Amino acid sequence: MSNTEEKRWWYEDFPEGSVREFGSVTLTREEIVAFARQYDPQPFHVDEEAARRSTFGGLVASGWQTCALVTKMACDAFLLETATAGSPGMETVRWVKPVRPGDRLRVRMRAISARPMKSRPQLGIVLIRYEVLNQRDETVLTMDGNTMIFRRSALEEGAAPAPVAR
């Protein structure tokens, strides 16, 4: 999408307290091991015998793999259709429960706060909490991060430049 007219979601579409649920991905043993071998080769991610002897009692996914899956599910669900200007970063990441082979993950996203930016009034900043749930509705990960999103009202006033094409 190359310009703002083609975007579906804007800052105004993420009011404080709004909630969206999306995604469904089931992790296989092979996916867990392949990711870990490349990015996080700790024994409890790549070696089933070592994982059985660990505090986890079995093979578990890297927390970073779970974070990457959240990003992919968010892109598929809404982010690629949002007039974003990027993110200044995450505030917190918490791995609450281990993710194991066969776990089916989905995401609940809540806008914790939303405000126009003083320094760049064409943008708003939304603090988003991502909560990842498994098939038993157990929280396995929480992440809080800020996203800068163009304001539809600024575009209507002619103040918003086109967001970066994705």
Side-chain angles (χ1 to χ4, degrees):
M1 296 187 170
S2 61
N3 66 40
T4 53
E5 288 80 23
E6 296 172 353
K7 297 299 181 178
R8 179 176 180 190
W9 307 106
W10 296 80
Y11 165 79
E12 292 84 355
D13 297 311
F14 298 89
E16 186 173 319
S18 63
V19 176
R20 297 171 189 230
E21 293 199 19
F22 55 86
S24 178
V25 65
T26 301
L27 275 176
T28 67
R29 176 205 170 281
E30 293 76 20
E31 290 168 325
I32 289 170
V33 171
F35 180 95
R37 280 190 179 135
Q38 186 165 4
Y39 300 108
D40 190 359
Q42 297 181 71
F44 42 82
H45 298 319
V46 297
D47 180 318
E48 290 192 59
E49 183 55 39
R52 273 192 285 282
R53 292 189 310 266
S54 76
T55 59
F56 297 110
L59 196 68
V60 296
S62 167
W64 296 115
Q65 183 175 20
T66 308
C67 291
L69 289 168
V70 171
T71 302
K72 173 67 166 115
M73 287 188 280
C75 284
D76 290 347
F78 72 94
L79 202 54
L80 294 178
E81 295 182 272
T82 301
T84 64
S87 171
M90 302 304 291
E91 291 190 4
T92 63
V93 175
R94 302 235 188 281
W95 295 295
V96 181
K97 282 187 165 285
V99 174
R100 300 182 183 278
D103 278 355
R104 188 180 69 249
L105 305 177
R106 63 186 171 81
V107 179
R108 180 178 301 136
M109 180 196 96
R110 178 182 309 276
I112 301 299
S113 64
R115 62 176 172 77
M117 291 181 69
K118 291 178 185 171
S119 62
R120 297 179 67 190
Q122 73 273 26
L123 294 171
I125 192 154
V126 181
L127 175 60
I128 296 174
R129 171 162 300 144
Y130 294 95
E131 179 182 14
V132 181
L133 304 153
N134 65 19
Q135 68 277 8
R136 293 177 297 281
D137 288 328
E138 299 169 324
T139 299
V140 298
L141 170 117
T142 61
M143 297 190 316
D144 293 353
N146 290 293
T147 301
M148 298 179 295
I149 306 173
F150 283 94
R151 295 174 57 220
R152 185 182 291 115
S153 57
L155 175 69
E156 291 165 358
E157 297 165 5
V164 175
R166 295 195 192 266

